[in-house]
Structure formats: structure tokens, C-alpha cells
Amino acid sequence: SVRSSSSAPVEDLSSSSAKSSSSVSSSSEYVPFDHAKTLGYQKFEDDGYKTFTDPRNGRSYYYITIYSEYKGYSVTVMAENLNIGDMVLGENDQNDDTKIERYCYNNDTTKCDEFGGLYQWAEMMQLPSRCNTESCDDLIQENHQGICPDGWRLFTYDDYCVVRGYEDINNDGIKGLRSTYGFSGTNSSGFSLVGAGKRTKKGGFDSLKENAYWYLPEEFEGMEATHAHFGVVSALTESAPNRDRRDVKLYGLSVRCVMVENQAE
């Protein structure tokens, strides 16, 4: 059975009162990260950034509509990685099917605030945790919501093709997707990718400020039910995500959400 992202209990560890036991002393108050630092040059107007507040935990996100001359339509997408759920230590799998769980880089909640949470494939999909080690293709829905808020869905490869083929007189390719905030980009698309790194399948963490990773809401169409497709953008190269790239579902990767009402005709 599919878990409901709107009813799953969550613990808000990303609010203005959040503190990190690993990096902030008990005598100092943690100041929430200013996500405006990661954004592009787009203004906060009709054709620029807007904000949305997730009612599940009060977390506010910047989002933007990006039009692609290449695809001929636009998507409205969050310009930040999703940050929702109870933190679990990297050494553990996200296997409590009664709530949303997240990893924070180096088990530090301030990293979730800055870079977003990290999620295994089944957790991102809000499917039973067994779906990380067996096929659950029959449970994947069109416009799959997963852990996104109501009215939003998970980021797909077609969405990537839109933001990659954005309308810009000085189209900067992959560099145009990356934030200028420590990720060697121009962010001319407004997509604002940050190098959130990953939780490794062995329970560690790596690639912070070096790579942005995200799962796609689809399994690998082969015999390996334990694998799913994913995308990666590096701060060090201009290589584009490969449509057929896949790996095990047990990593912890970032999540982006797309507004459902802005679907292609």
C-alpha cells in the first residue's frame, strides 16, 4: 500500500528554532540558512521566483517557471531541494513505513536546512521500504507525488530536459543549472542546483558541494529490481545526466518537486 505524504507524521527539524547537536552548541541559537543565496538573477515578479509554504512542517520554498524552447513548454519547479521528515542516522535504512524519514549530510540537521534532505528511492516514492529491494513497478503512478506536498509531483527526466533546454540568449548548458553558491555555475536557468552530495549505500556521506544527485520516479527497465534511474550533475564537469544511468535504490539522494498543474499538453 502507498503511504500518504499528506498524512505521514513528520518532525520539523528545519524551522527557525532548529538546532544541530553535532555542530551548534547548546548555548547558541541556530540561524536558518538564507536560501536566497542559492538563487539566480531572476527577479521576484510574475516571471521570476515565487514562494510556497509546505503546510506539513511550515517550510517555505522558492520556485520558478522555466520555459524550454527545446521542448516547447514550461515546468514550474522548486528552486530548492525538499526538506521534510524525521532524521535517521546514515547507518540505518529508511524503513519505518509509518512516517517520512530523511538523512542529513553527516547526520547534521543544519545541512538539511542548507542543502535539503537525502532520501532512498522507496522513501522518495512513499512506497513500502521493501520496494528498495524488489520491484514495485505496479505501484508507480503517473505524476507520482511521493514525498512532495499536495499539488506537486516528483521531478522526471522530461522535466530535466525542460530545465536543461531553458530559454536564454546565453544558454550556459549544465553550468546554467548550477547555483553560484559553491557549485561553480552561472544559474542562468534559475534552477539553482546545489551540491548536496549523497548518503552512500554503506551509510556514509560524500560529495558535498561536488555533486547533485536525484532519483527518477522509475525503476530500471531490466532484471535488476533493486535499481532505479537517477541523475547527477557535477561541479567539476559539464557532463549532462544520462537517460539510462541507474544504480541501487539504497543511496540517499536529493528530491525536487514540480507543480502538477503545469503539465505539457
Side-chain angles (χ1 to χ4, degrees):
S1 60
V2 181
R3 289 174 283 172
S4 169
S5 63
S6 60
S7 62
V10 298
E11 178 183 357
D12 182 7
L13 299 177
S14 59
S15 68
S16 59
S17 61
K19 296 181 181 180
S20 168
S21 61
S22 60
S23 63
V24 180
S25 69
S26 59
S27 61
S28 63
E29 181 177 356
Y30 174 68
V31 178
F33 178 72
D34 179 7
H35 284 271
K37 295 178 181 179
T38 71
L39 303 180
Y41 61 83
Q42 288 79 359
K43 297 179 180 180
F44 294 84
E45 298 175 350
D46 290 343
D47 59 347
Y49 291 108
K50 300 177 183 178
T51 57
F52 164 82
T53 299
D54 188 340
R56 298 173 296 178
N57 66 350
R59 173 75 161 79
S60 181
Y61 297 91
Y62 291 107
Y63 69 92
I64 189 171
T65 298
I66 300 176
Y67 176 78
S68 168
E69 291 182 324
Y70 167 68
K71 296 289 285 186
Y73 62 91
S74 63
V75 295
T76 296
V77 61
M78 287 184 180
E80 305 174 42
N81 293 331
L82 193 68
N83 183 22
I84 187 79
D86 291 355
M87 192 189 83
V88 296
L89 297 178
E91 64 197 59
N92 300 318
D93 287 324
Q94 296 171 339
N95 55 14
D96 187 338
D97 289 351
T98 67
K99 61 184 179 179
I100 300 175
E101 297 176 297
R102 65 176 176 171
Y103 299 119
C104 295
Y105 197 95
N106 279 350
N107 300 318
D108 182 347
T109 59
T110 69
K111 292 295 190 293
C112 269
D113 179 31
E114 185 173 358
F115 295 101
L118 301 171
Y119 304 89
Q120 294 182 319
W121 186 83
E123 192 68 28
M124 176 195 81
M125 298 289 288
Q126 279 295 273
L127 297 177
S129 53
R130 62 177 174 79
C131 295
N132 280 331
T133 54
E134 62 183 75
S135 177
C136 288
D137 183 69
D138 59 325
L139 298 179
I140 301 175
Q141 304 170 10
E142 184 178 4
N143 298 329
H144 198 98
Q145 179 178 349
I147 59 172
C148 293
D150 288 341
W152 299 75
R153 60 169 176 79
L154 295 170
F155 188 74
T156 67
Y157 189 79
D158 283 343
D159 297 327
Y160 158 73
C161 290
V162 173
V163 300
R164 171 63 179 80
Y166 59 91
E167 182 181 21
D168 186 90
I169 193 170
N170 297 311
N171 194 308
D172 294 326
I174 296 300
K175 186 178 291 186
L177 305 183
R178 299 195 307 251
S179 176
T180 59
Y181 180 74
F183 206 38
S184 305
T186 65
N187 204 14
S188 51
S189 69
F191 189 51
S192 310
L193 275 181
V194 292
K198 65 183 177 183
R199 178 263 190 186
T200 71
K201 57 188 175 183
K202 294 185 178 180
F205 299 89
D206 66 29
S207 299
L208 186 68
K209 297 185 178 180
E210 296 178 357
N211 292 313
Y213 300 94
W214 63 92
Y215 281 119
L216 299 176
E218 58 186 49
E219 295 183 334
F220 172 50
E221 304 88 342
M223 306 231 1
E224 300 173 272
T226 58
H227 285 54
H229 290 277
F230 75 99
V232 56
V233 167
S234 171
L236 306 177
T237 73
E238 301 307 306
S239 297
N242 187 317
R243 179 65 181 84
D244 295 323
R245 192 158 189 170
R246 69 267 188 184
D247 210 322
V248 295
K249 302 171 181 175
L250 294 174
Y251 288 100
L253 308 184
S254 299
V255 170
R256 285 288 178 105
C257 301
V258 174
M259 192 177 290
V260 173
E261 66 183 24
N262 288 82
Q263 299 299 304
E265 295 295 331

